[in-house]
């Protein structure tokens, strides 16, 4: 019944709360991530908490990989070493479960299929790279190099990744793999192998060569209707990948493309700060519910672009998206399974991670708030 109560509150506007300080929202989110780690049988982070069945889902190697840098950043910003220690344990766990060929498995740890997957491997790079830079532990460097080498070897000559798609999604050719290219940038920055940056550039080149005249990317969603719509979650993945590869490679054309795409998304932002979950190839929205993760990811993109290009008009879009997500974070409940967490969708019965609190929604929420704090500090705001 908990999921129905939450749905009724969402529909009636009773799950929208006054926002508090960024620090308060961040602390609750960080503590929930630790709860999600404690909710598993290992040191990974639970995929999500499902309020229909009142259960933590098994650890998820893909997103545990990019939760790691978020906790390291939070630990550093707030002088809170317990979060760094949690991140270190996650990284050791990622090493322990890395497949013999260097790849990272698809799905959760209880999935029946065990197969290396491009996107999941790309996301694990973020954790190994950050943990190696933070600790100097050579085990993390070795795992990072093995996974990066596997990704480079799996790449086709034209820069696409066609082999090793996820067995758990219906899409097999993915423009949002620019996010995996971004992971290779982090590997290049950590251990200096130029092959990783070259592979990242090749993937972005292939991706942008297929773009429509209005910068829309085909094959950019998790589902097989991706010629008709794309989810803000995957649109944001692709934008961030294009942007960060552009920064690392000194490619202004990539950065300018990311700006245009980010502005196209911003043009449809709602008055309350949220984004409707799906966009069409004409950059129009297609549904009324919001993908909470996509809101935070776009806030990150808008703030990064403002940092890099001086497009300060994007800052207000970012702050509005952050405030919307802050307003739907429940800081009042005594249920530690959901206190401080972010939903997959709002209302909670929306079509992405329905009735679940996925770990990556909270991870990107934290990143968006920390980046806003950094932007304000650098620009003497607030």
């Amino acid at each position: 019944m908990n999921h129905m109560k939450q749905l009724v509150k969402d529909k009636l506007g009773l799950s929208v709360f006054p926002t508090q300080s960024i620090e308060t929202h961040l602390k609750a989110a960080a503590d929930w991530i630790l709860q999600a780690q404690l909710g598993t049988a290992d040191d990974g982070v639970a995929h999500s908490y499902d309020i229909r069945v009142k259960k933590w889902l098994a650890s998820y190697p893909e997103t545990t990989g990019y939760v790691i840098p978020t906790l390291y950043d939070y630990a550093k910003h707030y002088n809170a070493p317990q979060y760094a220690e949690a991140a270190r344990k996650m990284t050791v766990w990622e090493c322990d479960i890395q497949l013999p060929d260097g790849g990272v498995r698809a799905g959760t740890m209880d999935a029946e299929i065990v197969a290396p997957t491009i996107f999941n491997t790309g996301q694990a790079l973020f954790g190994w790279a950050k943990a190696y830079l933070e600790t100097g532990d050579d085990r993390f460097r070795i795992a990072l190099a093995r996974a990066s080498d596997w990704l480079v070897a799996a790449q086709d000559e034209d820069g696409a990744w066609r082999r090793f798609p996820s067995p758990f999604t219906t899409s097999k050719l993915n423009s949002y793999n620019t996010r995996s290219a971004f992971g290779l940038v982090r590997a290049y920055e950590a251990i200096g192998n130029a092959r990783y940056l070259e592979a990242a550039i090749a993937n972005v080149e292939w991706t942008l060569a297929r773009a429509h005249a209005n910068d829309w990317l085909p094959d950019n969603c998790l589902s097989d209707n991706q010629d008709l719509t794309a989810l803000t979650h995957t649109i944001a993945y692709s934008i961030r990948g294009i942007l960060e590869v552009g920064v690392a490679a000194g490619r202004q054309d990539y950065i300018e493309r990311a700006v245009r795409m980010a502005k196209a998304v911003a043009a449809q932002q709602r008055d309350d700060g949220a984004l409707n979950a799906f966009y069409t190839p004409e950059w129009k929205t297609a549904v009324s519910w919001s993908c909470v993760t996509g809101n935070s990811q776009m806030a990150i993109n808008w703030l990064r672009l403002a940092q890099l290009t001086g497009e300060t008009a994007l800052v207000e879009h970012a702050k509005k998206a952050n405030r919307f997500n802050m307003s739907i974070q429940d800081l009042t409940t005594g249920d530690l399974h959901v206190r401080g967490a972010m939903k997959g969708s709002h209302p909670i019965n929306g079509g992405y991670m329905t009735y679940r609190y996925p770990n990556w929604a909270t991870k990107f929420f934290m990143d968006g708030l920390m980046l806003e704090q950094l932007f304000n500090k650098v620009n003497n705001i607030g």
Side-chain angles (χ1 to χ4, degrees):
M1 286 297 294
N2 280 0
H3 66 292
M4 295 307 298
K5 291 178 182 178
Q6 185 63 52
L7 176 59
V8 170
K9 289 195 291 184
D10 286 358
K11 292 286 190 179
L12 295 177
L14 300 177
S15 57
V16 176
F17 306 95
T19 59
Q20 301 185 41
S21 67
I22 285 179
E23 291 80 6
T24 298
H25 288 275
L26 274 172
K27 178 67 163 58
D31 287 345
W32 183 84
I33 292 287
L34 297 194
Q35 287 292 324
Q37 185 180 33
L38 291 172
T40 70
D42 48 49
D43 281 325
V45 182
H47 172 283
S48 55
Y49 185 76
D50 190 327
I51 62 171
R52 286 169 299 193
V53 294
K54 300 180 181 180
K55 179 182 178 182
W56 291 105
L57 276 68
S59 291
Y60 195 22
E62 173 203 325
T63 59
T64 297
Y66 62 40
V67 164
I68 291 164
T70 299
L71 287 186
Y72 272 120
D73 286 344
Y74 182 77
K76 182 177 182 180
H77 292 168
Y78 287 95
N79 191 28
Q82 66 269 33
Y83 300 96
E85 176 59 15
R88 188 195 65 80
K89 289 180 177 178
M90 292 174 194
T91 315
V92 171
W93 174 78
E94 289 277 9
C95 291
D96 290 341
I97 63 156
Q98 187 175 23
L99 298 177
D101 60 8
V104 173
R105 61 187 286 165
T108 56
M109 290 304 294
D110 58 358
E112 292 183 5
I113 300 172
V114 179
T117 305
I118 294 297
F119 192 78
N120 297 40
T121 304
Q123 307 324 294
L125 301 184
F126 291 94
W128 282 315
K130 183 70 169 182
Y132 174 61
L133 292 173
E134 290 288 332
T135 67
D137 190 327
D138 203 49
R139 183 180 182 185
F140 301 157
R141 181 193 62 79
I142 292 169
L144 175 62
R146 291 180 62 225
S148 299
D149 289 344
W150 181 84
L151 272 175
V152 172
Q155 189 176 40
D156 292 341
E157 289 186 6
D158 62 359
W161 278 294
R162 295 182 178 85
R163 292 175 287 166
F164 306 109
S166 173
F168 303 114
T169 62
T170 56
S171 59
K172 302 304 178 187
L173 190 66
N174 307 127
S175 290
Y176 60 82
N177 259 326
T178 58
R179 171 79 188 189
S180 300
F182 177 21
L184 284 172
V185 165
R186 287 291 186 251
Y188 162 71
E189 292 169 343
I191 57 182
N193 190 327
R195 292 171 54 243
Y196 304 155
L197 179 58
E198 292 165 3
I201 294 169
N203 179 255
V204 173
E205 282 288 307
W206 172 82
T207 302
L208 294 182
R210 303 175 72 242
H212 295 186
N214 68 349
D215 302 310
W216 177 264
L217 298 177
D219 302 306
N220 201 24
C221 200
L222 301 170
S223 59
D224 54 9
N225 69 337
Q226 55 187 322
D227 290 335
L228 303 176
T229 58
L231 186 66
T232 53
H233 175 45
T234 47
I235 292 172
Y237 269 153
S238 62
I239 293 173
R240 185 78 191 278
I242 292 164
L243 171 63
E244 300 296 352
V245 174
V247 172
R251 292 289 298 267
Q252 188 62 30
D253 54 331
Y254 294 178
I255 297 171
E256 290 172 357
R257 187 70 69 102
V259 169
R260 296 200 300 268
M261 294 173 69
K263 285 183 174 180
V265 177
Q268 300 294 323
Q269 188 176 26
R270 296 179 347 202
D271 290 341
D272 64 2
L275 299 167
N276 290 336
F278 281 97
Y279 278 63
T280 72
E282 295 75 38
W283 295 106
K284 303 297 183 183
T285 59
V287 296
S288 60
W289 57 273
S290 185
C291 171
V292 176
T293 308
N295 296 336
S296 291
Q297 289 176 270
M298 283 308 307
I300 294 162
N301 289 342
W302 289 322
L303 286 165
R304 279 291 286 150
L305 286 163
Q307 284 180 325
L308 293 164
T309 69
E311 292 272 0
T312 55
L314 295 174
V315 175
E316 285 308 307
H317 290 287
K319 289 184 176 180
K320 285 176 64 179
N322 278 343
R323 293 306 170 277
F324 175 83
N325 278 4
M326 289 163 72
S327 77
I328 62 169
Q329 182 192 31
D330 192 344
L331 305 180
T332 65
T333 179
D335 185 355
L336 297 182
H337 297 105
V338 300
R339 178 182 170 87
M342 303 307 297
K343 307 163 192 165
S345 300
H346 185 81
I348 202 164
N349 69 332
Y352 182 72
M353 292 292 129
T354 309
Y355 293 114
R356 292 181 185 177
Y357 293 78
N359 70 51
W360 57 98
T362 302
K363 170 264 188 317
F364 283 116
F365 175 68
M366 291 182 66
D367 289 345
L369 295 188
M370 286 191 286
L371 191 54
E372 182 182 330
Q373 285 188 315
L374 176 61
F375 185 91
N376 290 344
K377 181 178 180 181
V378 169
N379 292 279
N380 297 312
I381 300 171

